[in-house]
């Protein structure tokens, strides 16, 4: 009788945990970054009030993998940043993106084309190996394949070429 009561509880616990994991991963934190005075590093604007936005460039950091369950949210965040007055480029800091799937690459590719049609560029910075591999395998557009090694270099490229 004890085993009969334990197994359903275990099943419910695992199911709830998996649903919670899917829910959280489908809503990753997307932070806007600003340049810190002095050293020029980039930090979240909401956590570091001394950081400053870069004129004409929105810098976003996605904190989690990008895959089919969260592409809509990330697209919405990037579009909102790109729609701000004076923004000519959006840099996505991918250092905290451990993985992407093919649907995410397709979304980024389509989003880059959409933004480009409106006069805004989408640039990537600081990818990890798996992200780079999937971008290459999924035939992402040239702009997305040219991942900048640092946020500073991506911002400099965005300001130079806009």
């Amino acid at each position: 009788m004890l085993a009969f009561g334990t197994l359903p509880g275990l099943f419910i616990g695992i199911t709830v945990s998996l649903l919670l994991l899917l829910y959280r991963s489908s809503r990753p934190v997307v932070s806007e970054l600003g340049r810190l005075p002095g050293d020029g590093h980039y930090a979240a604007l909401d956590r570091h009030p001394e950081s400053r936005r870069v004129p004409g460039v929105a810098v976003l950091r996605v904190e989690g993998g990008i895959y089919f369950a969260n592409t809509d949210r990330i697209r919405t965040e990037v579009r909102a940043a790109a729609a701000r007055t004076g923004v000519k480029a959006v840099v996505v800091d991918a250092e905290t993106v451990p993985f992407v799937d093919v649907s995410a690459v397709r979304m980024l590719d389509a989003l880059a084309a959409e933004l480009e049609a409106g006069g805004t560029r989408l640039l990537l910075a600081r990818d990890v190996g798996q992200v780079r591999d999937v971008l290459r395998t999924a035939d992402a557009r040239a702009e997305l394949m040219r991942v900048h090694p640092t946020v500073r270099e991506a911002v400099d490229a965005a300001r130079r070429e806009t």
Side-chain angles (χ1 to χ4, degrees):
M1 191 69 161
L2 182 60
F4 183 73
T6 303
L7 288 177
L10 185 60
F11 177 75
I12 291 169
I14 290 171
T15 303
V16 169
S17 294
L18 288 174
L19 289 173
L20 186 59
L21 178 66
L22 182 61
Y23 175 79
R24 286 183 179 167
S25 69
S26 70
R27 289 162 180 74
V29 173
V30 179
S31 300
E32 184 169 5
L33 308 181
R35 181 175 258 166
L36 289 169
D39 63 11
H41 284 91
Y42 286 80
L45 290 168
D46 61 344
R47 293 187 183 128
H48 297 273
E50 69 277 15
S51 61
R52 298 289 176 251
R53 285 189 170 111
V54 178
V57 181
V59 182
L60 303 177
R61 179 178 56 220
V62 178
E63 298 178 15
I66 305 174
Y67 69 111
F68 70 93
N70 63 20
T71 56
D72 287 339
R73 175 173 168 77
I74 292 166
R75 179 183 12 236
T76 299
E77 295 283 341
V78 172
R79 280 180 178 159
R84 287 199 322 253
T85 304
V87 171
K88 294 295 180 190
V90 177
V91 172
V92 175
D93 178 3
E95 184 178 41
T96 57
V97 176
F99 65 90
V100 296
D101 69 3
V102 174
S103 65
V105 174
R106 289 186 181 133
M107 178 275 294
L108 290 169
D109 210 39
L111 182 58
E114 174 190 323
L115 294 178
E116 190 175 296
T120 304
R121 295 178 56 217
L122 178 64
L123 296 93
L124 296 179
R126 301 193 315 173
D127 67 337
V128 294
Q130 190 271 346
V131 172
R132 188 177 322 113
D133 294 343
V134 175
L135 287 170
R136 190 176 312 116
T137 307
D139 289 330
R141 64 183 24 238
E143 181 80 284
L144 293 178
M145 294 291 291
R146 191 175 37 228
V147 178
H148 300 272
T150 67
V151 173
R152 184 183 307 177
E153 288 179 40
V155 168
D156 290 346
R159 295 183 85 190
R160 234 185 351 263
E161 298 171 19
T162 56

